[in-house]
Amino acid sequence: MQISAWKIRENRERVREAVAAACGACGRAPDAVRIVAVTKYVDAATAKLLVDAGEEDLGENRPQQLDEKRRILANQAIRWHLIGHLQRNKVRLAVPACSLIHSVDSLQLLQSIDSASRAASVVSAVLLEVNISGEGAKQGFSASQLPGVLEKAAPLSGLRIQGLMAMSGLDCGPAEARRQFDAVRELRDRMTAAFGPSFDLAELSMGMSGDYSEAIAAGATLVRIGSRFFEP
Ligand SMILES: *Cc1c(COP(=O)(O)O)cnc(C)c1O
């Protein structure tokens, strides 16, 4: 995809304004929500145009692509977010590359990230992906699995669970998306009440190009926006 630097700048202004407007509409401060610019559609040179325009948080859904872009853009100040499924055999690649792994969807994966992180003497920041839409094809823990996962995660010193990540169901309209995002926030609040200070689940990664307003109204702290940045 070829897209000019000025078009990227213009799109970026629009995304920033739209996210600020969505915050304003529900009485949240504009800096309460961090934008993760998803660069999976474009090459490293195009991703760099976004960094030049001021974006600092970039997201990729595949660890190989994340690592490749990270190497090419190594001299840029970028926080890299892994937002897609992580296979256990890619954990050692992802751990040193990621500032936040959004998509932890199994206990085995959590344990692999823990051991790889301890081996590398780092503490990995992760989110637990929850399957809130109930669709069979979607990754993520069910709401009922979450207490057991948090209990088993509590002693793992190689990682810090910072919150939850979710996607609304395919083809659901704004009202249903809002309902699902509200359910994620309520789930987080219940887990916080149940586990107390052993976890700080402040982050809610939810909302994409089509449903960020609903996610922000429901309490998202991270929105993962891709296509809007690259509109022709
Ligand atoms: C691609 C992707 C996004 C961004 O989607 P857009 O609709 O292009 O904004 C967000 N989250 C995940 C998990 C993705 O894979």
Side-chain angles (χ1 to χ4, degrees), residues 19-43:
V19 166
C23 289
C26 59
R28 300 181 65 196
D31 61 1
V33 177
R34 191 145 49 112
I35 296 172
V36 176
V38 178
T39 52
K40 67 186 181 192
Y41 309 105
V42 299
D43 60 13

Side-chain angles (χ1 to χ4, degrees), residues 114-172:
D114 174 57
S115 47
S117 302
R118 284 188 288 109
S121 301
V122 297
V123 177
S124 291
V126 306
L127 306 178
L128 300 181
E129 182 170 356
V130 293
N131 179 351
I132 212 72
S133 70
E135 283 169 21
K138 287 261 164 90
Q139 326 262 3
F141 297 106
S142 67
S144 61
Q145 285 174 314
L146 218 50
V149 172
L150 285 170
E151 207 161 290
K152 294 197 181 71
L156 305 180
S157 60
L159 51 84
R160 191 164 296 132
I161 299 174
Q162 299 191 329
L164 305 180
M165 180 267 214
M167 276 184 266
S168 63
L170 296 172
D171 305 321
C172 72

Side-chain angles (χ1 to χ4, degrees), residues 1-222:
M1 189 194 317
Q2 281 306 316
I3 181 160
S4 67
W6 71 262
K7 187 66 199 168
I8 290 265
R9 256 176 213 285
E10 185 178 276
N11 287 350
R12 192 238 174 197
E13 287 301 307
R14 286 229 190 93
V15 170
R16 291 262 148 197
E17 282 165 16
V19 166
C23 289
C26 59
R28 300 181 65 196
D31 61 1
V33 177
R34 191 145 49 112
I35 296 172
V36 176
V38 178
T39 52
K40 67 186 181 192
Y41 309 105
V42 299
D43 60 13
T46 308
K48 181 172 179 295
L49 297 177
L50 268 180
V51 178
D52 294 342
E55 293 305 313
E56 297 176 321
D57 289 275
L58 301 190
E60 284 283 325
N61 65 346
R62 300 222 171 100
Q64 298 96 317
Q65 268 91 327
L66 186 153
D67 193 55
E68 197 183 301
K69 283 198 180 78
R70 185 180 73 103
R71 285 169 193 279
I72 297 172
L73 303 175
N75 56 353
Q76 307 288 319
I78 300 171
R79 287 184 293 265
W80 285 103
H81 297 251
L82 183 67
I83 61 172
H85 180 62
L86 176 57
Q87 288 176 303
R88 286 169 69 198
N89 62 2
K90 299 288 179 340
V91 164
R92 274 190 297 176
L93 179 68
V95 157
C98 295
S99 151
L100 180 62
I101 300 174
H102 292 226
S103 40
V104 176
D105 56 4
S106 75
L107 188 58
Q108 291 91 325
L109 178 58
L110 207 57
Q111 287 160 341
S112 298
I113 294 172
D114 174 57
S115 47
S117 302
R118 284 188 288 109
S121 301
V122 297
V123 177
S124 291
V126 306
L127 306 178
L128 300 181
E129 182 170 356
V130 293
N131 179 351
I132 212 72
S133 70
E135 283 169 21
K138 287 261 164 90
Q139 326 262 3
F141 297 106
S142 67
S144 61
Q145 285 174 314
L146 218 50
V149 172
L150 285 170
E151 207 161 290
K152 294 197 181 71
L156 305 180
S157 60
L159 51 84
R160 191 164 296 132
I161 299 174
Q162 299 191 329
L164 305 180
M165 180 267 214
M167 276 184 266
S168 63
L170 296 172
D171 305 321
C172 72
E176 176 59 16
R178 174 65 196 270
R179 196 194 63 73
Q180 293 180 6
F181 293 141
D182 279 334
V184 178
R185 187 199 62 245
E186 285 158 14
L187 179 60
R188 186 275 309 274
D189 293 346
R190 284 204 301 282
M191 292 306 109
T192 300
F195 286 89
S198 40
F199 290 103
D200 177 8
L201 305 174
E203 304 286 1
L204 291 175
S205 168
M206 47 192 201
M208 321 196 332
S209 288
D211 56 12
Y212 64 87
S213 313
E214 289 75 24
I216 288 170
T221 60
L222 293 155

